[in-house]
Amino acid sequence: EKDLDQSPISSGSVPTFYKSADDFTQAMNAAYSSLRDYPDRQLTMAETRSDNIYGVSTQGIRTWEPINNFSTAIASNEYPAGTWTADYTGIYRCNILLDQLAANGSVLTPALRTRYEGEAKFLRALYYLDLVRYFGKVPLIDHALEPQVVAKINRSPVADVYGLIIADLTTASASLAPSYTGADVGRATSWAAKGLLGLVYLTRSGPTYGIEGPGLDSHEYDKAYALFNDITTNGPYQFATGTNAYANIFSYTNENNKEVLFDVQYISGGVGQGASYPSILVTNNYFNSIGVGTTFGTGDELRPASNNLLSTFAAGDVRKTFSLQQGYTTTTAPILTEPRAAFKKYINGALRGTTRTDWPINFIVMRYTDVLMMKAEAILKGGGGAPADVDAIMSQVRARAGLTGTVTGTTYAQLMEERRREFVGEGLRWHDLVRSGNAVNILNAWIAQDDVSKRMRSPLNANDLLYPVPQAELAASAYLYEQNPGY
Amino acid sequence: CVPLFLMTGPALAAAALPPAAARHAAADWQLTGKVTSPNGEGLPGVTIVVKGTTLGTSSNADGSFSLAVPETPGTLVFSFVGFQTQERPFAGPENFSIRLADDTKSLDEVVVVGYGTQKRSDVTGAIATLDASKLEERPITRVDQALVGQLAGVQVQQNTGLPGRGFTVQVRGNSSITAGNQPLYVIDGFPLEIASPNSNGNYSTGNPLDNINPSDIQSIEVLKDAAAAAIYGSRAANGVVLVTTKRGKTGKAVISVNAYSGVSQMAKKLDLLTPEEWTQRATEIVNAAWVKSGAGRSASQDNATRRQILGLAPGAYTPSLMPDDRWSQPGHPGLDYIDWQDAIFRTGVVQNYQVSASGATPNINYFVSGNFNDQQGIVIGVNYRRYSARANVEVKANDKLKFGLNLTPTYSESSDPGVEGKDNLTQKFVTMVPVAESSAGLLTNYGENPVYLWGGSSISPVGELTNRQQSTKTFRSLATVYGELEPVKNLRLRSTVNLDNTDARAKSYIPNSKLVGSGATGTFSGYRHITFVNENTATYSRVFAEKHDLTVLAGYSYNYFHTESDKLKSSGGFVNSAVTTLNGATNITGTADNGTSETQNTLVSQFARLQYAFMGKYLLMASVRRDGSSRFGEDSRWGVFPAGSAGWRISQEGFMKNVAFLSELKVRGSIGFAGNNNIGDYSSLATLGVNSYTFGGAIATGQAPNSSPNADLRWEKSRTLDFGLDYGFFRNRIFGSFDYYTKTSKDLLLSVPVPSASGYGSQLRNIGEVLNQGWEVELKTNNFTGAFTWSTALNFSHNENQVVHLGPGDAAIEIPSSYGAASAILQVGQPMFSFYSIVQDGILTQADIDSKVPIIQGETVGDPKYRDADNSGAIDDKDRVIVGQPSPKYTWGITNTFSYKGFDLSVLVQGQNGGQLYSLIGRAIDNTNMGYNQNVLGLQRDRWISPENPGAGERGKASTSFTPLKSTSWLYSSDYYRVRNITLGYNLNTLIGTRFVQAARVYASLENFFGHDTYRGGYNVDAVNSNAGGGSFGVGTDYGGLPLTKSVTFGLNVTF
């Protein structure tokens, strides 16, 4: 009968875990691990859905196409569902870690314990912000709870979710280290927490569109400004200038540079820690055109830059030539020419990994220029500072892009369009549109202009600014969750 | 008891005769005559005795006999094994002419039940028997194949066209949603570990019947109801299949040689567009794209004009906007038009050789055999080869003790370049553009050969099939050692030790299609699977007062199951293509795919059974088993599984003696509980998954819980009620059985979807309930006896499957799909995994558009018209309705056997009705809006082309502007009938006599030659090779499975 007690031979089990410092370190790492698909999600959920990409398939049925087309039948689509699941998986790992730290955290040194609490709260806030921006109201879970209990918890008002996010980020910004060295590089810093908190205030301050979305019309631009100003004044960051300055931000050999507040870390080498996001917007033919195609297998379809995006760049803008490859030709027979523009910002064929999902390049979640331009945004919205500061930031950014001429009297629209160019392909465009208050107008005008194959739904309305609650979640909650309007 | 009588009869007669002769030599009556077989040949060795005495003799070589008896009227009894015993009265000297009839069904026939045997007439549970002793008379390659169409209530499906692979066997429907529906296999008393195919149709650590040589099998019993099966407790809910191998028979040693050889081909070819039809369709799509691509562009513009507009150099092409000029030129110069199916499929050679020797002496009984089976696949690169041997030896040490050894070493080699399933080569070659540059031909885009511009990136499947190396070598050894002691009369103590060890090694080397080593991938993987079982039983069996027949069994069993697996995978390609083993790989370390793992479980059981028969009329059986398994949660570790059954043989009652036409009538009823413990080795525990990250360029190993614990997790429990009737008419010329059953399966293991906000997608709970009910008929008739014989065996079963309970609130569960909205659903009141999709109702016309019928955003005239089931005014996933069920409602099989003179002919027809299949291969070859750079089903031939030419109304126009949803266009009926086998044999003994051989037969056999189904989307209605489900729901579907094999074989059976 003793033989009837068996425990897994080839995997750990919970009863023996969370007992040592090493266990907590591993639990912490697992909480970060949920970030691994974060860039891919942003490039589909935010970049593909925005006016930066005209992602209408010509070859077949791509699961991302309904996202691009504003189909209302995307409640079962893998991308919203995957986002919801991945964010909550990350939140659960943070929750159980925080619970276990409260129970058994004494095995850690006080300093490490405080830091892990800060990191877990930073990540939890990041995951919740992701949820709020895409889905609006979501269930607010801040402890590891039995599934039966969670099933009875409804979606919380957005303001309540922000309450936890702000509390978490406030704790994190106080308890985290300002920077890390060696094998800790990539962990959340106190500055990253401040930057994220600034973004939270900025987002909350945005218009409501009459939907229960990320904007609360709360006019907390002053809080945002204070945080961004703290970073630009006291932070260790630096606006990169000089030859190839813009390209160097994303260089494979210049990772974790002075521009980076927080990034998702990757390494290649076939160890399962490479990035897949550089591949998802381009095809095998693009890889072929840069001479690496034959070893990369068959690829997905091109998600090309929209004509509208291409036309926003002035001649000589290095950000366009660096980020986009307009027209390319395969190098091996058959010679195929693709006239449309591919997003190549993160691709360096010479330093690729073993497969198309094994790129070594980190994904920058928030960078210094973003902080600067968000600061400018807060100023224009009356959060503090002077309009001249905005012009200075604009000039700085444009000069690095190779554009000459001084900037005066920057309008909000100009600032946001500059952000579009600066952060092209970085997954920020959708959120910028929503925050700006003009998302519906801009998108409808763009669709009318660019949608030559008439595959996109139009006209859009404010309901399209939120994704549907995934069908599986509605069902799993026994329809306690109510679907977002419009779906 | 007949053989025993045979042995002792003549000896007794010899002993009794002399004194009788001495006393009555002059006055004896002389009885003489001849005994013949049904076809009139003299029968030697027939035992002839005077009833109620020991006086007797046996017939001579020509069947004649002579016997002197005292001058007293009496009755002569003629008996011979295999024939019905006859009695003839006499009242003086007489000359008899006796023709013995074939004994089609002896009522004293013994059936194997769990841990013992029972007289067929005493059986009170639902047990189906297949006499497998003649399997070698037909080309059967697997034991499960032999069951196809043979037994009522036993549905056998061939999920793959690959040789050597396991079939799925389902007894009385699907009773488990997630924990598998395969029965427990017991070979010669050795219960093997249950294995269920994964949703890709594969048995990841082998099928229990792998490598078992069907020619070694004597009989197969399927225990269908819980009363019969419950003695196997927590593993019996899906039925139990008892396989008994051959033993030696007393008498002269029998050497038997069986051989066959033949050829096989695909049984079905898919209707795809011909190259000409494909070019028409491609032209249509390309022209539509051209028109859409800019203002002022029309389909009538030729390529020169288009080049001008696009600014292309002369001769240059943009394939998505321009057709190939050569399509319209006579003879399409420079292009090869290819039928890829013809290029891929081949005629395979199959051969099988078997030699066996068996015999028995009073002290030793043996059966040894060797077998070689070679099946060349119907597709390039697919092969299977099996070598097996068996030794069954039993030694009687003394009157009280015997011991024995069954040993079965086997080895097989199976090659499969990766042909079945999503993104594998079958899907590739059916979707491959049927046109290639002549310079490349069949090797288009392979090696240095050019790709065809309109052919997309597809690589020649011929090149892939020829150059990929993927094979599995399996060495399996089954061994049983046992001892049996009879310390006092009627009590037998038996102890067995069993080991089933499987070692499998698989190698794969997939060269880069450009034939460079650097892009190649390779793996080397394997597993060792061990089942160890020790069982100890005590059986007391006795007849009291000649009325009370009692058997009592008690036992204890220990089972241990262990699996180790390992895998190595190349990283970064190979150094070159000359060395294909992993030492030639650039790197093998550092891949997350490398590693070893182990898993094991234990099962400890006690069991007891009582069988009682009163005067062979009133029958009772009761059993109970208590199972403890390491798989169950710590709060519910032990389960008890009782069963009881009763029967009444009405035909044995005195008042029935006058009903002459009725030779057998028995009613029986049973109730029993059985379990399904196939719930995973550690499912009740919260395990940790590895979720690593990287900091500062170094790996940071992470771990997090990946399943929520459930200390109450336990077996799934089935309760079966069975009412049966066994009948026989006209001295059993017509006999059979009827059963009605209801099987309620509760506590089904469900991964109940939970909100992701809990950190989990699902939690494993014992919550579901499924009901299966149905009826089964078996009927065997001897239509003609005599020189021409014709007998028919028919089985027919009906099963209704229905979900009774699901998770909390009984909310319907949509089975997640990787390909958009769910197309299968679990819903209370409906069959398990009912198909769920929107319904296509023809094609949109202009009138439809004008009247604003609901459409999917972007649809126009010529696109499919869908049913707005929820009346929302738009077509979306909410319009899905239940459109079919995966299990057939009716399954049936008919075997007709004829013999005349030396010829024998048997025909097996088998089929199913009432089910559907939702085939995802449709997504690959029959989707709406398929591009030009692939081929599509012939269904698209009759697509909508214009309002004037609307086609067959099934498929819309080639070029569309909407995002399609899964609809009924991929739903097919799974009804089929198939002539599984026709075998014509000829007995050579009539030609060459029995001087050199005891028996010799030649035969020709057709397998799978005729049949019909309406599955237009794929090859095989039963194909399972891809997972259509997600999460914990494995729902298998066809995403490119091979056709079944039809074969012609010629064989020889010789016995010396």
Side-chain angles (χ1 to χ4, degrees):
Chain A
E1 288 211 9
K2 284 204 308 280
D3 268 11
L4 294 181
D5 288 320
Q6 297 278 339
S7 55
I9 302 169
S10 297
S11 78
S13 57
V14 170
T16 58
F17 200 57
Y18 304 110
K19 297 282 189 276
S20 69
D22 204 37
D23 291 350
F24 278 102
T25 304
Q26 294 202 356
M28 188 73 248
N29 295 341
Y32 277 97
S33 180
S34 291
L35 288 173
R36 290 189 31 80
D37 293 328
Y38 180 87
D40 307 61
R41 296 203 298 272
Q42 304 311 314
L43 293 189
T44 297
M45 298 279 285
E47 200 77 21
T48 303
R49 197 163 173 86
S50 80
D51 54 358
N52 278 358
I53 287 179
Y54 184 58
V56 172
S57 164
T58 59
Q59 292 177 358
I61 294 83
R62 305 296 173 185
T63 48
W64 40 261
E65 189 180 359
I67 302 291
N68 177 83
N69 291 0
F70 291 94
S71 163
T72 52
I74 53 173
S76 299
N77 187 279
E78 66 185 84
Y79 294 100
T83 301
W84 185 288
T85 307
D87 281 332
Y88 271 115
T89 303
I91 289 165
Y92 172 73
R93 291 177 189 168
C94 295
N95 281 338
I96 193 166
L97 174 59
L98 287 165
D99 289 353
Q100 294 287 343
L101 278 173
N104 303 322
S106 54
V107 299
L108 297 171
T109 62
L112 194 57
R113 179 176 177 171
T114 306
R115 200 188 88 196
Y116 280 171
E117 270 171 19
E119 287 181 67
K121 288 188 170 177
F122 172 88
L123 290 172
R124 187 165 70 177
L126 180 61
Y127 295 131
Y128 267 119
L129 178 63
D130 204 46
L131 287 168
V132 162
R133 293 204 290 187
Y134 290 128
F135 301 102
K137 295 190 295 179
V138 290
L140 186 58
I141 316 286
D142 59 358
H143 285 284
L145 300 175
E146 287 290 308
Q148 291 92 327
V149 178
V150 174
K152 297 189 172 68
I153 300 176
N154 205 341
R155 297 167 71 194
S156 290
V158 173
D160 296 356
V161 183
Y162 274 128
L164 179 68
I165 294 173
I166 290 169
D168 276 352
L169 289 174
T170 307
T171 310
S173 58
S175 58
L176 286 173
S179 67
Y180 297 94
T181 55
D184 285 324
V185 170
R187 294 183 178 278
T189 64
S190 59
W191 294 111
K194 286 175 183 171
L196 198 59
L197 186 55
L199 172 62
V200 168
Y201 283 125
L202 203 59
T203 305
R204 256 159 71 98
S205 301
T208 67
Y209 292 92
I211 58 172
E212 293 181 280
L216 297 181
D217 203 13
S218 63
H219 282 278
E220 293 164 295
Y221 295 108
D222 52 337
K223 291 179 187 164
Y225 175 79
L227 286 159
F228 294 137
N229 197 45
D230 184 15
I231 297 168
T232 57
T233 313
N234 305 316
Y237 306 101
Q238 200 175 320
F239 188 84
T241 53
T243 317
N244 288 333
Y246 184 76
N248 282 341
I249 296 170
F250 310 98
S251 165
Y252 279 45
T253 53
N254 188 33
E255 290 185 307
N256 305 309
N257 55 58
K258 289 279 189 191
E259 175 86 6
V260 180
L261 270 83
F262 186 68
D263 59 5
V264 185
Q265 303 261 319
Y266 296 98
I267 53 173
S268 64
V271 291
Q273 293 297 320
S276 54
Y277 73 92
S279 300
I280 70 167
L281 300 182
V282 298
T283 66
N284 200 36
N285 282 339
Y286 174 74
F287 292 126
N288 185 300
S289 78
I290 61 170
V292 301
T294 53
T295 61
F296 267 55
T298 50
D300 205 340
E301 192 174 344
L302 187 71
R303 296 191 226 177
S306 70
N307 289 333
N308 182 280
L309 173 65
L310 296 173
S311 64
T312 188
F313 289 99
D317 193 326
V318 301
R319 296 171 300 191
K320 181 184 183 185
T321 47
F322 174 71
S323 305
L324 299 167
Q325 178 62 47
Q326 195 170 358
Y328 53 85
T329 303
T330 54
T331 56
T332 57
I335 304 299
L336 287 167
T337 299
E338 170 60 66
R340 299 176 297 170
F343 286 82
K344 62 161 184 177
K345 193 169 199 165
Y346 297 103
I347 296 173
N348 181 344
L351 295 176
R352 67 187 186 277
T354 56
T355 68
R356 54 187 297 117
T357 58
D358 191 40
W359 299 91
I361 183 70
N362 295 345
F363 179 85
I364 302 174
V365 174
M366 184 176 283
R367 58 188 175 95
Y368 185 58
T369 310
D370 190 11
V371 171
L372 279 175
M373 295 183 84
M374 288 195 288
K375 178 179 161 185
E377 198 177 331
I379 295 170
L380 287 181
K381 289 287 187 181
D389 299 344
V390 177
D391 294 340
I393 289 168
M394 284 286 279
S395 302
Q396 204 178 5
V397 168
R398 289 175 61 82
R400 184 172 65 190
L403 303 172
T404 52
T406 53
V407 180
T408 56
T410 304
T411 65
Y412 186 75
Q414 285 170 340
L415 176 71
M416 296 312 275
E417 198 65 12
E418 198 62 52
R419 283 183 60 85
R420 183 185 188 189
R421 293 185 283 267
E422 175 69 19
F423 304 115
V424 60
E426 296 182 40
L428 299 189
R429 176 61 179 169
W430 174 258
H431 303 302
D432 285 3
L433 279 172
V434 173
R435 199 168 70 231
S436 75
N438 292 321
V440 176
N441 298 337
I442 291 174
L443 288 168
N444 278 333
W446 164 66
I447 291 171
Q449 176 197 31
D450 268 8
D451 182 24
V452 290
S453 59
K454 300 288 176 236
R455 296 279 285 273
M456 300 185 64
R457 206 175 103 251
S458 164
L460 305 180
N461 59 51
N463 288 333
D464 291 305
L465 302 183
L466 286 182
Y467 280 95
V469 177
Q471 185 63 35
E473 303 298 332
L474 295 180
S477 75
Y479 294 89
L480 175 69
Y481 305 161
E482 210 174 302
Q483 183 55 282
N484 283 333
Y487 292 103
Chain B
C1 77
V2 173
L4 192 71
F5 191 81
L6 252 178
M7 268 166 48
T8 53
L12 285 171
L17 215 51
R23 274 183 284 136
H24 304 284
D28 280 357
W29 291 342
Q30 277 297 325
L31 305 176
T32 56
K34 187 173 178 184
V35 189
T36 57
S37 69
N39 48 16
E41 293 161 32
L43 267 184
V46 176
T47 304
I48 302 144
V49 286
V50 180
K51 194 172 183 180
T53 73
T54 53
L55 196 59
T57 183
S58 58
S59 60
N60 300 329
D62 64 351
S64 61
F65 69 93
S66 140
L67 177 65
V69 299
E71 294 171 320
T72 314
T75 305
L76 268 192
V77 180
F78 299 85
S79 63
F80 191 51
V81 67
F83 295 89
Q84 286 178 15
T85 299
Q86 264 194 45
E87 297 184 4
R88 283 295 186 87
F90 61 88
E94 201 172 333
N95 189 14
F96 294 90
S97 179
I98 303 293
R99 179 173 285 200
L100 290 182
D102 282 323
D103 185 9
T104 49
K105 183 172 150 76
S106 163
L107 289 178
D108 281 339
E109 186 187 340
V110 162
V111 296
V112 180
V113 296
Y115 302 101
T117 58
Q118 194 174 17
K119 275 194 290 189
R120 157 79 54 193
S121 54
D122 287 352
V123 167
T124 49
I127 299 178
T129 301
L130 176 69
D131 175 7
S133 59
K134 299 211 162 120
L135 278 186
E136 69 251 18
E137 295 186 356
R138 148 186 179 203
I140 293 269
T141 55
R142 284 187 61 94
V143 178
D144 31 23
Q145 183 192 359
L147 290 169
V148 173
Q150 299 283 4
L151 303 174
V154 182
Q155 189 196 352
V156 184
Q157 290 189 321
Q158 187 174 354
N159 297 144
T160 166
L162 291 169
R165 300 292 174 90
F167 289 39
T168 57
V169 176
Q170 271 168 20
V171 179
R172 293 184 166 178
N174 286 318
S175 56
S176 175
I177 294 174
T178 63
N181 283 293
Q182 296 302 297
L184 172 71
Y185 290 97
V186 180
I187 298 186
D188 290 330
F190 178 10
L192 303 175
E193 181 162 29
I194 296 174
S196 287
N198 61 24
S199 41
N200 292 334
N202 293 325
Y203 291 85
S204 54
T205 53
N207 174 292
L209 297 179
D210 279 350
N211 286 15
I212 304 288
N213 173 11
S215 302
D216 287 347
I217 308 300
Q218 177 70 30
S219 73
I220 299 172
E221 261 88 16
V222 181
L223 312 181
K224 297 192 286 190
D225 68 345
I231 194 73
Y232 286 103
S234 65
R235 294 173 291 171
N238 295 323
V240 179
V241 177
L242 305 176
V243 177
T244 308
T245 59
K246 288 179 179 166
R247 296 283 178 278
K249 292 191 180 82
T250 307
K252 199 176 136 195
V254 176
I255 315 280
S256 172
V257 176
N258 297 294
Y260 65 78
S261 179
V263 293
S264 59
Q265 286 185 329
M266 60 172 158
K268 179 178 175 182
K269 190 174 174 183
L270 273 192
D271 176 24
L272 301 169
L273 292 190
T274 64
E276 290 78 11
E277 289 165 344
W278 174 84
T279 60
Q280 283 166 18
R281 184 171 180 278
T283 307
E284 235 173 277
I285 295 171
V286 165
N287 282 342
W290 169 251
V291 172
K292 254 194 249 177
S293 66
R297 299 182 178 183
S298 73
S300 59
Q301 287 165 331
D302 65 7
N303 280 346
T305 316
R306 295 184 196 190
R307 283 189 191 104
Q308 213 168 12
I309 293 170
L310 292 170
L312 295 181
Y317 277 105
T318 297
S320 60
L321 300 175
M322 299 158 65
D324 190 338
D325 284 323
R326 294 171 290 181
W327 294 343
S328 47
Q329 291 166 8
H332 46 82
L335 294 178
D336 274 12
Y337 281 15
I338 296 168
D339 183 328
W340 285 106
Q341 295 187 88
D342 289 349
I344 296 302
F345 289 113
R346 65 176 176 188
T347 300
V349 175
V350 292
Q351 45 186 333
N352 185 77
Y353 306 99
Q354 147 125 356
V355 181
S356 69
S358 65
T361 68
N363 291 328
I364 201 153
N365 179 315
Y366 64 93
F367 173 86
V368 294
S369 77
N371 169 261
F372 169 64
N373 177 272
D374 185 11
Q375 301 173 58
Q376 202 176 39
I378 52 171
V379 166
I380 306 169
V382 172
N383 291 297
Y384 177 78
R385 215 168 247 203
R386 182 185 69 217
Y387 307 81
S388 66
R390 170 175 291 275
N392 292 346
V393 179
E394 186 175 277
V395 177
K396 203 167 169 186
N398 57 44
D399 283 349
K400 291 186 188 309
L401 178 66
K402 62 182 179 182
F403 50 89
L405 175 69
N406 303 340
L407 204 58
T408 320
T410 62
Y411 175 75
S412 66
E413 282 183 22
S414 149
S415 311
D416 166 21
V419 293
E420 294 197 326
K422 179 173 164 36
D423 295 335
N424 278 332
L425 295 172
T426 302
Q427 182 190 329
K428 296 271 170 65
F429 73 73
V430 296
T431 56
M432 189 83 188
V433 164
V435 178
E437 297 289 346
S438 294
S439 58
L442 291 177
L443 290 176
T444 179
N445 201 18
Y446 201 86
E448 300 302 316
N449 292 302
V451 68
Y452 182 54
L453 267 188
W454 287 261
S457 55
S458 305
I459 295 159
S460 162
V462 173
E464 297 265 34
L465 285 167
T466 314
N467 291 295
R468 285 185 177 189
Q469 301 176 21
Q470 299 200 75
S471 67
T472 305
K473 294 172 180 165
T474 307
F475 181 77
R476 181 181 185 193
S477 205
L478 272 164
T480 297
V481 185
Y482 61 90
E484 195 174 292
L485 180 70
E486 195 168 355
V488 294
K489 198 167 160 28
N490 298 326
L491 176 66
R492 280 177 296 124
L493 305 177
R494 184 180 168 95
S495 182
T496 72
V497 174
N498 310 274
L499 182 73
D500 175 9
N501 183 84
T502 303
D503 284 300
R505 315 298 288 150
K507 173 199 172 179
S508 99
Y509 175 78
I510 301 180
N512 182 272
S513 61
K514 297 300 170 201
L515 294 180
V516 292
S518 64
T521 56
T523 60
F524 187 73
S525 61
Y527 64 84
R528 165 170 288 180
H529 189 62
I530 290 173
T531 304
F532 172 84
V533 176
N534 167 236
E535 293 192 307
N536 304 289
T537 57
T539 311
Y540 184 77
S541 186
R542 192 175 161 189
V543 180
F544 295 93
E546 294 182 351
K547 286 179 186 165
H548 309 277
D549 188 345
L550 181 73
T551 304
V552 182
L553 164 88
Y556 171 84
S557 158
Y558 172 85
N559 300 255
Y560 168 83
F561 309 94
H562 184 91
T563 304
E564 302 169 4
S565 51
D566 50 80
K567 182 169 189 179
L568 289 173
K569 188 176 180 186
S570 70
S571 166
F574 278 66
V575 174
N576 60 44
S577 52
V579 177
T580 61
T581 50
L582 285 178
N583 57 328
T586 309
N587 205 347
I588 52 168
T589 56
T591 304
D593 302 300
N594 294 325
T596 71
S597 68
E598 292 178 42
T599 175
Q600 66 186 29
N601 77 83
T602 51
L603 175 73
V604 177
S605 319
Q606 298 117 26
F607 48 88
R609 182 175 57 204
L610 180 146
Q611 291 157 310
Y612 172 71
F614 177 71
M615 295 181 74
K617 283 189 234 174
Y618 310 109
L619 315 164
L620 275 177
M621 194 280 294
S623 72
V624 64
R625 184 170 179 125
R626 182 169 176 263
D627 270 352
S629 167
S630 66
R631 289 173 160 178
F632 305 152
E634 56 182 341
D635 293 349
S636 48
R637 186 134 283 173
W638 289 88
V640 177
F641 305 91
S645 57
W648 177 26
R649 273 184 85 196
I650 302 170
S651 52
Q652 297 302 102
E653 294 287 357
F655 60 81
M656 294 299 288
K657 289 289 181 214
N658 297 329
V659 189
F661 68 90
L662 193 74
S663 39
E664 170 72 16
L665 182 65
K666 177 165 74 180
V667 291
R668 51 189 162 77
S670 77
I671 180 168
F673 296 87
N676 177 1
N677 81 343
N678 203 2
I679 63 177
D681 282 352
Y682 310 110
S683 300
S684 71
L685 302 169
T687 50
L688 295 172
V690 174
N691 306 99
S692 296
Y693 193 66
T694 163
F695 290 114
I699 288 198
T701 304
Q703 290 198 81
N706 61 2
S707 66
S708 51
N710 183 351
D712 272 331
L713 201 74
R714 62 194 180 278
W715 56 95
E716 300 183 342
K717 192 173 205 171
S718 283
R719 186 195 70 184
T720 307
L721 283 168
D722 187 284
F723 301 97
L725 189 68
D726 295 335
Y727 52 84
F729 300 102
F730 309 114
R731 297 168 64 97
N732 284 338
R733 260 181 87 159
I734 300 173
F735 65 97
S737 62
F738 173 84
D739 278 86
Y740 170 80
Y741 62 88
T742 64
K743 180 173 175 184
T744 310
S745 306
K746 287 187 181 177
D747 292 345
L748 297 190
L749 205 65
L750 270 188
S751 258
V752 179
V754 295
S756 303
S758 65
Y760 300 106
S762 60
Q763 189 187 32
L764 209 52
R765 292 182 212 161
N766 290 99
I767 197 162
E769 181 177 336
V770 164
L771 173 68
N772 281 284
Q773 51 187 345
W775 47 264
E776 300 155 352
V777 179
E778 289 206 358
L779 182 65
K780 292 184 183 167
T781 58
N782 294 303
N783 309 322
F784 283 99
T785 54
F788 172 71
T789 70
W790 171 27
S791 62
T792 304
L794 175 146
N795 64 80
F796 195 93
S797 28
H798 168 61
N799 184 68
E800 294 268 353
N801 171 278
Q802 185 188 331
V803 176
V804 180
H805 284 302
L806 288 170
D810 283 341
I813 299 174
E814 294 187 17
I815 308 306
S817 164
S818 316
Y819 317 104
S823 54
I825 191 170
L826 291 167
Q827 188 174 316
V828 169
Q830 298 288 342
M832 265 163 62
F833 299 118
S834 289
F835 297 122
Y836 190 58
S837 84
I838 62 171
V839 179
Q840 187 186 339
D841 275 338
I843 302 292
L844 287 169
T845 62
Q846 189 58 47
D848 292 329
I849 301 289
D850 294 344
S851 63
K852 297 220 178 307
V853 301
I855 56 167
I856 298 175
Q857 165 79 20
E859 280 195 300
T860 56
V861 175
D863 285 331
K865 180 169 153 188
Y866 299 108
R867 191 180 300 163
D868 183 21
D870 70 345
N871 290 314
S872 66
I875 303 297
D876 52 32
D877 286 337
K878 290 174 194 144
D879 293 312
R880 285 173 297 163
V881 291
I882 288 176
V883 292
Q885 66 171 58
S887 324
K889 289 179 183 158
Y890 301 94
T891 54
W892 50 271
I894 304 171
T895 307
N896 277 295
T897 313
F898 309 87
S899 73
Y900 182 68
K901 303 272 184 183
F903 289 96
D904 62 86
L905 172 71
S906 78
V907 181
L908 165 59
V909 186
Q910 159 280 326
Q912 63 183 38
N913 298 81
Q916 283 80 23
L917 77 157
Y918 196 73
S919 155
L920 281 177
I921 185 70
R923 190 174 182 272
I925 54 173
D926 192 26
N927 207 337
T928 309
N929 198 27
M930 306 298 293
Y932 61 85
N933 50 10
Q934 66 157 99
N935 205 357
V936 294
L937 275 189
L939 272 172
Q940 303 263 0
R941 183 178 301 125
D942 300 319
R943 66 188 173 274
W944 189 96
I945 291 176
S946 67
E948 296 73 38
N949 186 4
E954 287 188 279
R955 293 295 178 261
K957 61 190 175 193
S959 180
T960 65
S961 301
F962 72 101
T963 307
L965 301 169
K966 283 194 258 182
S967 77
T968 45
S969 62
W970 307 330
L971 184 78
Y972 307 90
S973 162
S974 67
D975 293 358
Y976 73 82
Y977 74 85
R978 196 168 288 139
V979 183
R980 275 276 170 182
N981 176 265
I982 302 174
T983 299
L984 176 65
Y986 181 67
N987 188 342
L988 292 174
N989 285 131
T990 49
L991 285 182
I992 59 175
T994 53
R995 192 182 313 169
F996 307 107
V997 295
Q998 281 189 33
R1001 174 178 173 267
V1002 289
Y1003 65 90
S1005 185
L1006 301 178
E1007 288 274 332
N1008 269 327
F1009 242 78
F1010 311 101
H1012 179 72
D1013 63 62
T1014 56
Y1015 182 26
R1016 296 182 291 186
Y1019 289 110
N1020 171 9
V1021 293
D1022 288 339
V1024 174
N1025 42 57
S1026 284
N1027 189 358
S1032 60
F1033 299 102
V1035 180
T1037 187
D1038 184 14
Y1039 214 137
L1042 290 178
L1044 298 183
T1045 298
K1046 67 175 180 188
S1047 56
V1048 192
T1049 47
F1050 298 92
L1052 176 71
N1053 310 121
V1054 186
T1055 308
F1056 300 96

